[in-house]
Amino acid sequence: MSQRQFLALHNNFPGRHPFSGIARTNALPCGSGAVVGGVYPTICLINHSCVPNAHNNWNGAEEHETIHAIRFIEKGAEITISYDRGGPSSARRAFLKESFGFTCTCSGCAVPASLLEASDSQRIRIQELDAAIGDPFRMMNSPQEGLQDC
Ligand SMILES: [Zn+2]
């Protein structure tokens, strides 16, 4: 990545230290729980959607970030990934505003209030199941319950 490409990336923390602001805005963790991140000339240009068509993941064997389609993407359609950790729209919007400085208006957030309430309930349930499935103590002591949740 050239310095020109790096400095052209979005900076949600403008001020006296543009390099750290750009890194804070764009760096993707190099693995789950990693304390270091990578900034990429193309991947960092991918916009957010709460209903993304792709997923980013650290490839430890290749030592770089990879993008995987998670559903069919029409030719010419924008590739999107999720910047947030899921949950109800209010939590997603607050996180995106705080961390990236924008209010999400994606197709998942632009639904009528009546549908948004149902979507939020489903997303809360998904987070609960994800936490329960990922609980190593529960998997050791109650593997059947974990499998039922899956
Ligand atoms: Zn959204």
Side-chain angles (χ1 to χ4, degrees), residues 48-51 84 89 92-93 96 102-110 123:
H48 164 85
S49 173
C50 299
V51 190
D84 64 60
S89 58
R92 294 192 318 269
R93 285 184 167 181
L96 293 168
F102 69 91
T103 301
C104 189
T105 58
C106 77
S107 63
C109 291
R123 288 175 183 261

Coordinates of all heavy atoms in Angstrom, one line a residue, residues 48-51 84 89 92-93 96 102-110 123, ligand 1:
H48 N -20.1 -0.7 4.8 CA -20.9 -1.4 5.7 C -22.3 -1.6 5.3 O -22.9 -0.8 4.7 CB -20.9 -0.7 7.1 CG -21.9 -1.2 8.0 ND1 -21.7 -2.3 8.8 CD2 -23.2 -0.8 8.2 CE1 -22.9 -2.6 9.5 NE2 -23.8 -1.7 9.2
S49 N -22.9 -2.8 5.7 CA -24.3 -3.0 5.6 C -24.7 -3.9 6.8 O -23.9 -4.8 7.1 CB -24.7 -3.7 4.3 OG -26.1 -4.0 4.4
C50 N -25.8 -3.7 7.4 CA -26.3 -4.5 8.5 C -26.8 -5.8 7.9 O -27.1 -6.8 8.6 CB -27.4 -3.9 9.3 SG -26.8 -2.4 10.1
V51 N -27.0 -5.8 6.5 CA -27.4 -7.0 5.8 C -26.4 -7.2 4.7 O -26.6 -7.1 3.5 CB -28.8 -6.9 5.2 CG1 -29.3 -8.2 4.6 CG2 -29.8 -6.3 6.2
D84 N -20.2 -4.0 12.4 CA -20.6 -4.0 13.8 C -20.7 -5.4 14.3 O -20.3 -6.4 13.7 CB -22.0 -3.3 14.0 CG -23.1 -4.1 13.2 OD1 -23.3 -5.2 13.5 OD2 -23.7 -3.4 12.3
S89 N -31.2 -2.7 16.1 CA -30.8 -1.5 15.3 C -30.2 -0.4 16.2 O -29.3 0.3 15.8 CB -31.9 -1.1 14.4 OG -33.0 -0.7 15.3
R92 N -26.6 -1.2 17.0 CA -25.8 -1.1 15.8 C -25.5 0.3 15.4 O -24.4 0.7 15.1 CB -26.5 -1.9 14.6 CG -26.6 -3.4 14.8 CD -27.0 -4.1 13.5 NE -28.0 -3.4 12.7 CZ -29.3 -3.7 12.8 NH1 -29.8 -4.5 13.6 NH2 -30.1 -3.1 11.9
R93 N -26.6 1.1 15.4 CA -26.5 2.5 15.0 C -25.6 3.3 16.0 O -24.8 4.1 15.5 CB -27.8 3.1 14.9 CG -28.6 2.7 13.6 CD -29.9 3.4 13.5 NE -30.4 3.2 12.1 CZ -31.5 3.7 11.7 NH1 -32.2 4.4 12.5 NH2 -31.9 3.4 10.5
L96 N -22.0 2.2 15.3 CA -21.4 2.7 14.0 C -21.2 4.2 14.1 O -20.2 4.7 13.5 CB -22.4 2.4 12.9 CG -22.5 0.9 12.5 CD1 -23.7 0.6 11.6 CD2 -21.3 0.4 11.9
F102 N -20.9 7.5 11.2 CA -22.0 7.6 10.2 C -23.3 6.9 10.8 O -23.2 6.1 11.7 CB -21.7 7.0 8.9 CG -21.6 5.5 8.9 CD1 -22.7 4.7 8.6 CD2 -20.3 4.9 9.1 CE1 -22.5 3.3 8.6 CE2 -20.2 3.5 9.1 CZ -21.3 2.7 8.8
T103 N -24.4 7.4 10.3 CA -25.7 6.8 10.6 C -26.1 5.8 9.5 O -26.2 6.2 8.4 CB -26.8 7.9 10.8 OG1 -26.4 8.8 11.8 CG2 -28.1 7.3 11.1
C104 N -26.3 4.6 9.9 CA -26.5 3.5 8.9 C -27.9 3.7 8.3 O -28.9 3.9 9.0 CB -26.4 2.2 9.5 SG -26.4 0.9 8.3
T105 N -28.0 3.7 7.0 CA -29.2 3.8 6.3 C -29.4 2.6 5.3 O -30.1 2.7 4.3 CB -29.3 5.1 5.5 OG1 -28.2 5.1 4.6 CG2 -29.4 6.3 6.4
C106 N -28.8 1.5 5.6 CA -28.8 0.3 4.8 C -30.2 -0.3 4.7 O -31.1 0.1 5.4 CB -27.8 -0.8 5.3 SG -28.4 -1.7 6.7
S107 N -30.4 -1.3 3.9 CA -31.7 -1.9 3.7 C -32.2 -2.5 5.0 O -33.4 -2.6 5.2 CB -31.7 -2.9 2.6 OG -30.8 -4.0 2.9
G108 N -31.3 -3.0 5.8 CA -31.7 -3.5 7.1 C -32.2 -2.5 8.1 O -33.0 -2.8 9.0
C109 N -31.7 -1.3 8.0 CA -32.1 -0.2 8.9 C -33.3 0.6 8.3 O -33.9 1.4 9.1 CB -30.9 0.7 9.2 SG -29.6 -0.1 10.1
A110 N -33.5 0.6 7.0 CA -34.5 1.4 6.4 C -35.9 0.7 6.3 O -36.7 1.2 5.6 CB -34.0 1.8 5.0
R123 N -32.5 -10.5 16.0 CA -31.1 -10.3 16.1 C -30.7 -10.4 17.6 O -29.6 -10.9 17.9 CB -30.7 -8.9 15.6 CG -30.8 -8.8 14.1 CD -30.6 -7.4 13.6 NE -30.6 -7.3 12.1 CZ -29.6 -7.3 11.3 NH1 -28.4 -7.3 11.8 NH2 -29.8 -7.1 10.0
Ligands
ZN1 ZN -27.9 -0.8 8.8

